[in-house]
Amino acid sequence: MVAKLDRIEWKNHNITNLEYIGFYEGLHKLSFGAAFSDQVQRAHRDFAPRWGYTVSANYSFNPSDRHFSNLVSTYAQVYLPGFARHHSVKVAVNYQTSIGGYKFPSGYAPLSYLSTRLIPRGFSSGDILSNNYLAASLDYQLPVWYPEGGIGAVLYFKRIRLNIGGDYARFRDYLPGPHASDGRMVPRRIWSVGGDIVFDVNVFRQPASATSTVKLSFYRPSSGGLWFTAAMGLPF
């Protein structure tokens, strides 16, 4: 990267010469990490492990430019059995923070790398900062119907399931004052609650192991209106 970071112009708490300093040419980023996962074997009608966990830790930095903050992130996820057969509970937590480079409260958050893992649903990476970012999520998922039918050899509806979930995140944000020296760090909290309707389907006589998903999500974030999205998951 050839960004001229020593020539940044800062006005009204924003970088005013973003294109000039060279961001449009891209960034170098080197990441490495370690992860471990363990879970019990699923029954035929299980869509998630009854017991299982995943833990991971990652570190990212720019090897060619010391001005960028390095990112440290950790993640853990646990699967637990629900209140009935084939129900699933998933609990996940994530912590990330930036070190080195432009530190707060200098206000250069755009120069910090960011992990997009476990951002409350209804928000995007542009809504958070990697400054002592702590997030958690809780999901309870259960089957509601097994249609066991479809449209000839074209589409087979295997199962319809419901997920009820909630997310919470907390991080430190920079609150600017009337003068540059008046800025201060303040805690910021965001959350969302809602649910997903998931359709497990097989297309064109694919085997049971090649099940695809169609997911419709409805969540209410702590800021803004109702958030809706549709997604499709492929079996590979």
Side-chain angles (χ1 to χ4, degrees):
M1 177 183 171
V2 295
K4 307 175 185 66
L5 298 181
D6 57 336
R7 300 183 182 180
I8 287 178
E9 295 178 5
W10 189 258
K11 185 177 181 181
N12 295 329
H13 311 290
N14 289 295
I15 298 174
T16 58
N17 60 336
L18 191 65
E19 183 174 346
Y20 170 76
I21 62 177
F23 280 176
Y24 66 93
E25 297 189 22
L27 302 173
H28 293 296
K29 182 179 180 181
L30 178 62
S31 299
F32 59 90
F36 182 81
S37 179
D38 188 24
Q39 58 186 250
V40 300
Q41 186 174 357
R42 305 183 194 182
H44 176 68
R45 285 198 168 188
D46 286 342
F47 44 79
R50 284 182 55 81
W51 299 94
Y53 67 91
T54 298
V55 292
S56 66
N58 294 274
Y59 187 83
S60 300
F61 67 101
N62 189 327
S64 64
D65 200 315
R66 62 182 177 82
H67 289 88
F68 283 82
S69 294
N70 301 339
L71 177 68
V72 177
S73 63
T74 58
Y75 177 81
Q77 177 178 285
V78 178
Y79 285 102
L80 303 169
F83 296 110
R85 293 183 62 187
H86 313 304
H87 289 208
S88 174
V89 178
K90 184 181 74 173
V91 181
V93 293
N94 169 250
Y95 175 79
Q96 60 174 294
T97 193
S98 295
I99 58 175
Y102 286 114
K103 295 183 180 180
F104 292 86
S106 57
Y108 289 93
L111 303 184
S112 299
Y113 289 124
L114 179 72
S115 171
T116 57
R117 202 165 194 176
L118 212 58
I119 296 177
R121 285 159 283 197
F123 294 90
S124 69
S125 59
D127 298 314
I128 69 171
L129 298 177
S130 56
N131 186 19
N132 289 333
Y133 178 88
L134 178 65
S137 72
L138 174 65
D139 291 273
Y140 190 97
Q141 197 165 172
L142 67 153
V144 294
W145 189 29
Y146 292 87
E148 302 292 354
I151 307 173
V154 178
L155 182 64
Y156 176 78
F157 288 93
K158 176 180 178 180
R159 174 176 51 209
I160 300 175
R161 46 195 167 102
L162 173 67
N163 177 72
I164 302 171
D167 306 309
Y168 172 83
R170 181 187 68 192
F171 54 93
R172 298 179 69 213
D173 200 355
Y174 180 68
L175 181 65
H179 306 287
S181 59
D182 296 333
R184 59 191 177 90
M185 302 303 299
V186 296
R188 183 182 171 194
R189 298 174 177 84
I190 57 177
W191 53 265
S192 65
V193 293
D196 313 279
I197 301 175
V198 184
F199 300 86
D200 293 330
V201 299
N202 293 78
V203 296
F204 303 119
R205 295 186 181 276
Q206 288 184 319
S209 59
T211 300
S212 300
T213 61
V214 177
K215 181 168 70 173
L216 305 178
S217 302
F218 304 85
Y219 281 84
R220 171 66 173 88
S222 55
S223 61
L226 180 66
W227 178 77
F228 166 77
T229 186
M232 183 173 183
L234 300 177
F236 50 80

